[in-house]
Amino acid sequence: MKRCPVVVLFVLLIAASISLAGNSSSDYVPGVLLIRFTEPVEFATTSTGEMVSSSPEVNRILSRFKASEVQPFLGDYILQDVEWRDRLANDYKLFFPSSSDMELIGAECEQLDMVEFATPDWLLPLYYTPDDPSFGLQWWLTKISADAAWDVTSGDEEIIVVAIDSGTDWNHPDMIEHIWINPGEDIDDDHYPYDRAMGFPDQPGTVGDWNNADDDMNGLVDDFIGWDWVHHTGAVAPGEDGPTPDNNPMDFDGHGTGCASAMAAIGDNGVGGLGVAYNCKIMASRSGYTPLEGIGSVILSAAAQAIYYATDKGVMVINLSFGGDTQNTSLRNSIQYAWNHGALLFGATGNDGVGTVHYPSNYDHVISVAATTSQDERASFSNWGDWVEVAAPGEGCYTCWFNDSYSSWDGTSVAGPIAAGVGALVIAMNPDEDNEFWRQRVIDSTDPCPNADHPIGTGRVNAYKAVTQNLWPELEIEEWTISDPDGNGHPDINEEISVTFRLSNAEGWQDATDVTARIEVLTDGIEYGQQEVNLGGLAAGNEILNTNLPLSFTAGQDAVNGRFVMLRLAITCGPNDYEIAVQERIMLGTPPILLVDDDGGEELENWIIQDLDDYDYAYFHHDTNVLTSLPDNSELDEYNAIVWMTGNASDPFSDVEIASLQNAMDNGVNVFLFGQKIDDQLAGTTFYSNYLHAQHADGNTQMALTAIEDAGGPVVENSQLVLVGPGGASNSTDPDVIEAIGGAHAAYYYLGGSNVGALWYSGDYNLVYFPFAFEAVSGASNTTSRLEVLFNIMEWFNIADAPEQDLQVETPTEFALTDVYPNPFNSRATVGFTLPQAGHVELHLYDVTGRRVATLLNGSANSGQHTLSFDGETLSSGVYFLQLSGQGLTDTRKLTLIK
């Protein structure tokens, strides 16, 4: 069973320097000396139990300090590289009484000509600052653009990663399916770390594997999933594992699990969080423990042994989140061995907040990793200096933890494996390259950290850049324009439309070749004048415009008229078949409804847009804040109805607008008009009395209205309208009392009286006029919804919700978020996405910390184009991220909420 550690957890890699003065037993493994002889030495034990050797000089040391035992440095493990096996042939561990001053013994031994080095078996501290678990706080994945990288690769099960650390909670539900299985010990070839059928979840291997034999001939018995290298620990903290190496590298603290999880915890499994390279395998390994008194530490010799073993088993990414300010030959040799055999190594720089050089992160071939904040500043605890190579997030990083749990924690210890996960993705994308290439890709593809107060390498790692920068350009459609020859804001039937754009290629990526742009209107009846153009090459850091080579199309007579369609602009180029695309929903032709958004740019129209979309009404949205001129009189006449909203705007109508609206009504166009300041501006005018059939009246108002009995027209019988509460815009502050005149009919009274708050009129045109903020109608407390009121009005105008039409056609080829509009948005937004195949899909909204704040979709969806809307009324203003995931893919879009 897993054992819970005491409250004093590993204080992981805030790499405090190891004090080499004094002989505190917390600094090294008691009684163990690591020694290398310059020539072979033979050892034996006398009949009286004394240790003796073939060297008189060594014998004096053995006798003086009462040596009791000797072991080869790697113990029973048989190193697979014969040349290196010979190189380590004279490396030993000598054992002395646990109370011995090992620094003194080491110093004495190094006086001998035949000794190359002799040091205690140092305990290298693991430093971190634990915090309470908080599900979903994986802001760091978005920060390093891992979500974008996953569109390209999420790793490969052939790539094995390992944390040389406190162990691995290998049966954690977010890790067990990806735990590496030693093929040489997997006798029954079931590729699973424990026996599910027999119910032994804490025992490595399965019943078919348990033979108590060294099947792979490496000196270790039954090393099914890795090895526990911890030895000669002396007293350990309650719940910790003891002094004997074994085949169960379980973590009893959490730090090693957190590191392994940051690299490669399973993704897309509906459990907990995930790691950077979530499709790679994790080797379980244990080299550290928590002493009875003191902080969690890695045993130097155990770390070196673990590195040798991992390398021999084909591990390609090794993380080292431990250390101090002193070098050690044994550990450096193991790192050199790993590098020589093709591994990629990462080391945390330490958490003392100083510029002191740190080891093993500063050894040759180890990528040294500092820690950053969510703002790309140096974390205050992170070590720094010109020797540091890269940085990665290291504050509040949510990962797996010991005992099937999760935790958010700080430290360069978590920054290291996050960078290591990026390294694993690089390997997955470039499997035929070598570790020098992989190393440079990680270092050269970072994002600068200009706000860092001290040097922290080239910058913060960027997973997307690391896996793509050497393969593709990074194109972006900076802006694109759909022409509007007649100025009415949308393409009409038989109107030739041109599409122009500005395309950029980011600095540092590949030069784009053979750049080709293509448009497609996703409906029938489209005639293309210029559907595709070739723009030649586009060097990194440059941009190009197609002004002289515009794309163009015309909607023919057979095209749908007055319906929303999707217009897609795709860019393809070399090298390596790069492609990007954008889509926009456009109104094709003249729909039955014109929505005039005259609220002064407040985006209150989103509430009305949502209602129109819910009934699939075809409409054109004319935002007077964007499209400064109204369609001319002849074009206004083409609409069956005008929904004109003025929101909170004071003096909303210009003389031109009044004239245009008057002309439309003269020609029989139906009008639904509402706003808070209309009565204030127009009361007493001829237009107000003769066209809106209203005059100002005095009286009390309320934030609620009730339908007048037998009001007729479009009025919902027995309805009540509430202008406050969730479900509405909550902007109603100035409703007005009016009187219906000139044949108009009063529609609603303000609650508790007979003061008129709405009217309708039917004659040469139909009119509904609300002198209040209709968008504020909430439907709260079982009152009538805004949607029902709008539907009744449109039905009275003889405008039905749109029938199903065969707009297309083609199954999308991309799993992608295609639209978020408006963006920035005020409470309500619409999201578009495409699915190339049916399946389970999730669409979540996250804040900048990575906290999930809303779930928009979690279920099955058919292939094709989809749209849905959401209400952010309960959210605070700020930046958010939408993430679409499913089918092994993800896509993310940033959006801004402004209130």
Side-chain angles (χ1 to χ4, degrees):
M1 298 297 290
K2 297 175 184 176
R3 290 168 284 177
C4 295
V6 291
V7 175
V8 180
L9 302 175
F10 275 119
V11 182
L12 278 163
L13 189 54
I14 273 180
S17 301
I18 305 171
S19 173
L20 301 184
N23 63 347
S24 169
S25 62
S26 63
D27 290 340
Y28 49 72
V29 178
V32 179
L33 185 74
L34 307 182
I35 190 168
R36 168 177 288 182
F37 297 104
T38 58
E39 58 188 64
V41 178
E42 296 180 0
F43 292 92
T45 304
T46 67
S47 58
T48 59
E50 293 180 294
M51 284 284 302
V52 294
S53 74
S54 57
S55 166
E57 290 184 331
V58 173
N59 281 338
R60 285 194 290 271
I61 297 290
L62 299 178
S63 175
R64 176 182 172 189
F65 295 106
K66 298 181 173 55
S68 59
E69 186 182 353
V70 63
Q71 291 180 0
F73 178 76
L74 293 180
D76 295 329
Y77 182 65
I78 302 172
L79 198 62
Q80 301 303 294
D81 187 308
V82 175
E83 180 182 344
W84 273 78
R85 192 187 306 168
D86 293 340
R87 188 179 301 183
L88 300 183
N90 296 325
D91 287 19
Y92 292 92
K93 292 180 185 177
L94 290 175
F95 297 88
F96 299 87
S98 60
S99 59
S100 302
D101 184 337
M102 300 311 301
E103 292 182 82
L104 172 63
I105 297 175
E108 291 286 334
C109 289
E110 287 188 338
Q111 300 300 312
L112 305 180
D113 292 338
M114 62 182 305
V115 173
E116 182 174 325
F117 67 81
T119 69
D121 198 352
W122 294 109
L123 293 176
L124 306 179
L126 304 162
Y127 293 98
Y128 72 96
T129 303
D131 198 357
D132 294 332
S134 182
F135 177 78
L137 295 180
Q138 290 194 288
W139 65 270
W140 47 277
L141 287 170
T142 302
K143 191 67 177 179
I144 67 169
S145 300
D147 49 346
W150 296 331
D151 290 337
V152 182
T153 180
S154 55
D156 190 300
E157 64 179 10
E158 297 299 317
I159 299 170
I160 310 166
V161 304
V162 68
I164 307 300
D165 218 287
S166 63
T168 310
D169 189 355
W170 53 267
N171 57 19
H172 193 293
D174 229 3
M175 297 174 68
I176 190 165
E177 298 293 336
H178 281 182
I179 293 296
W180 169 80
I181 310 299
N182 182 359
E185 296 285 350
D186 187 20
I187 305 305
D188 58 10
D189 201 33
D190 65 352
H191 311 295
Y192 206 74
Y194 78 90
D195 200 298
R196 290 171 289 184
M198 299 297 292
F200 296 100
D202 301 310
Q203 176 61 47
T206 58
V207 170
D209 302 327
W210 296 338
N211 60 2
N212 198 34
D214 179 13
D215 297 296
D216 59 353
M217 304 297 290
N218 66 354
L220 305 179
V221 174
D222 291 342
D223 52 322
F224 302 118
I225 61 173
W227 199 252
D228 176 359
W229 302 93
V230 173
H231 59 82
H232 294 85
T233 57
V236 299
E240 265 288 4
D241 196 3
T244 305
D246 55 49
N247 74 338
N248 190 349
M250 176 57 71
D251 182 9
F252 299 99
D253 173 80
H255 183 271
T257 300
C259 290
S261 168
M263 285 190 283
I266 303 171
D268 200 27
N269 65 341
V271 178
L274 68 164
V276 178
Y278 64 79
N279 271 326
C280 292
K281 291 290 187 180
I282 299 170
M283 173 182 281
S285 183
R286 182 170 183 256
S287 300
Y289 74 105
T290 303
L292 183 60
E293 295 180 358
I295 60 175
S297 302
V298 158
I299 300 173
L300 187 150
S301 62
Q305 291 171 316
I307 292 171
Y308 283 122
Y309 175 88
T311 303
D312 283 347
K313 291 301 183 183
V315 167
M316 303 183 78
V317 179
I318 298 174
N319 184 70
L320 310 167
S321 286
F322 59 86
D325 60 2
T326 302
Q327 300 189 60
N328 180 272
T329 302
S330 296
L331 185 58
R332 184 174 57 230
N333 284 343
S334 67
I335 289 170
Q336 186 66 51
Y337 181 81
W339 176 262
N340 288 358
H341 288 78
L344 187 62
L345 299 102
F346 294 79
T349 60
N351 296 356
D352 294 311
V354 298
T356 306
V357 173
H358 174 276
Y359 300 97
S361 57
N362 194 43
Y363 283 137
D364 290 345
H365 313 305
V366 178
I367 298 176
S368 51
V369 186
T372 55
T373 69
S374 61
Q375 303 302 313
D376 278 341
E377 299 169 338
R378 180 186 66 88
S380 60
F381 53 76
S382 177
N383 289 355
W384 51 271
D386 293 335
W387 57 278
V388 177
E389 285 161 305
V390 300
E395 281 191 347
C397 296
Y398 180 82
T399 68
C400 298
W401 207 250
F402 166 66
N403 214 18
D404 298 349
S405 65
Y406 299 85
S407 184
S408 290
W409 54 298
D410 303 341
T412 54
S413 274
V414 69
I418 288 172
V422 173
L425 295 181
V426 170
I427 296 172
M429 280 300 292
N430 304 275
D432 297 328
E433 301 291 348
D434 60 19
N435 52 359
E436 182 58 46
F437 175 89
W438 302 329
R439 169 188 170 85
Q440 287 306 129
R441 287 301 322 132
V442 174
I443 294 173
D444 294 343
S445 60
T446 58
D447 287 337
C449 296
N451 296 325
D453 57 353
H454 292 292
I456 49 173
T458 59
R460 189 248 314 129
V461 293
N462 183 310
Y464 176 70
K465 289 168 65 174
V467 300
T468 61
Q469 210 170 29
N470 66 305
L471 299 175
W472 294 296
E474 176 70 2
L475 302 184
E476 183 174 354
I477 300 170
E478 300 287 352
E479 58 185 55
W480 61 311
T481 303
I482 303 167
S483 70
D484 184 20
D486 63 6
N488 70 348
H490 59 87
D492 288 314
I493 303 300
N494 294 325
E495 186 175 40
E496 185 175 12
I497 304 299
S498 63
V499 178
T500 56
F501 57 86
R502 181 165 59 91
L503 182 70
S504 66
N505 187 7
E507 190 74 48
W509 266 264
Q510 298 300 299
D511 293 342
T513 59
D514 194 28
V515 179
T516 301
R518 178 184 176 86
I519 55 169
E520 186 173 14
V521 184
L522 303 182
T523 187
D524 295 325
I526 301 299
E527 302 167 4
Y528 294 99
Q530 189 71 47
Q531 187 176 15
E532 185 175 289
V533 295
N534 188 286
L535 302 174
L538 180 56
N542 291 350
E543 64 179 28
I544 193 171
L545 291 85
N546 76 321
T547 308
N548 296 326
L549 291 170
L551 301 160
S552 61
F553 70 92
T554 301
Q557 288 296 129
D558 296 333
V560 294
N561 187 7
R563 293 293 291 149
F564 286 117
V565 298
M566 298 300 293
L567 171 61
R568 186 174 190 268
L569 169 63
I571 309 291
T572 58
C573 69
N576 299 314
D577 300 322
Y578 181 86
E579 179 178 359
I580 61 170
V582 290
Q583 292 189 146
E584 183 171 323
R585 190 174 78 152
I586 63 172
M587 173 56 63
L588 191 63
T590 303
I593 301 171
L594 173 67
L595 171 62
V596 179
D597 169 13
D598 201 9
D599 65 359
E602 291 191 70
E603 297 190 357
L604 297 169
E605 73 281 358
N606 289 338
W607 300 90
I608 308 304
I609 287 173
Q610 174 64 49
D611 296 337
L612 293 170
D613 286 345
D614 282 349
Y615 270 113
D616 200 23
Y617 287 118
Y619 63 93
F620 176 67
H621 173 206
H622 183 103
D623 186 346
T624 60
N625 201 50
V626 177
L627 302 169
T628 54
S629 61
L630 282 168
D632 63 33
N633 291 337
S634 63
E635 290 165 342
L636 274 179
D637 294 347
E638 295 177 6
Y639 297 95
N640 296 334
I642 298 174
V643 178
W644 197 307
M645 59 178 297
T646 66
N648 308 326
S650 298
D651 296 330
F653 288 98
S654 68
D655 291 342
V656 172
E657 289 175 329
I658 291 173
S660 297
L661 188 54
Q662 181 175 311
N663 184 75
M665 297 167 85
D666 284 340
N667 286 286
V669 178
N670 303 308
V671 174
F672 176 27
L673 178 65
F674 51 93
Q676 300 202 80
K677 306 292 185 179
I678 297 173
D679 182 76
D680 297 344
Q681 180 188 9
L682 299 181
T685 65
T686 302
F687 177 72
Y688 201 55
S689 58
N690 293 352
Y691 283 86
L692 300 190
H693 298 276
Q695 67 180 22
H696 175 76
D698 294 325
N700 295 325
T701 62
Q702 299 287 336
M703 291 302 163
L705 303 95
T706 184
I708 297 173
E709 187 175 356
D710 298 324
V715 178
V716 180
E717 287 291 328
N718 302 314
S719 58
Q720 285 189 325
L721 309 183
V722 174
L723 308 183
V724 293
S730 300
N731 66 311
S732 186
T733 59
D734 188 19
D736 291 302
V737 179
I738 58 174
E739 182 180 345
I741 62 173
H745 302 268
Y748 285 89
Y749 290 139
Y750 287 105
L751 193 64
S754 58
N755 295 322
V756 176
L759 62 79
W760 64 270
Y761 169 81
S762 182
D764 294 336
Y765 55 89
N766 291 325
L767 165 74
V768 177
Y769 169 43
F770 290 170
F772 58 82
F774 174 63
E775 64 272 11
V777 172
S778 67
S781 302
N782 296 318
T783 56
T784 308
S785 71
R786 187 180 58 252
L787 183 63
E788 186 176 358
V789 175
L790 181 65
F791 176 76
N792 261 39
I793 294 171
M794 293 300 105
E795 191 173 46
W796 186 61
F797 285 169
N798 200 29
I799 297 173
D801 47 326
E804 291 292 327
Q805 299 196 33
D806 183 18
L807 300 182
Q808 176 78 353
V809 281
E810 212 176 296
T811 300
T813 59
E814 291 184 308
F815 179 94
L817 286 164
T818 55
D819 294 286
V820 179
Y821 60 91
N823 188 16
F825 71 105
N826 182 0
S827 297
R828 301 182 76 88
T830 299
V831 180
F833 61 94
T834 56
L835 303 177
Q837 62 186 34
H840 184 86
V841 179
E842 296 184 20
L843 182 59
H844 301 292
L845 185 69
Y846 297 88
D847 64 17
V848 291
T849 70
R851 180 173 62 93
R852 184 188 299 174
V853 297
T855 295
L856 282 62
L857 176 64
N858 187 355
S860 297
N862 293 325
S863 62
Q865 302 172 23
H866 300 265
T867 59
L868 54 83
S869 298
F870 72 93
D871 182 357
E873 175 64 28
T874 61
L875 304 176
S876 301
S877 296
V879 175
Y880 294 85
F881 295 91
L882 273 171
Q883 185 173 88
L884 179 71
S885 61
Q887 305 171 15
L889 301 168
T890 61
D891 193 18
T892 302
R893 184 74 63 88
K894 182 172 74 173
L895 63 163
T896 303
L897 172 60
I898 300 176
K899 290 187 175 180

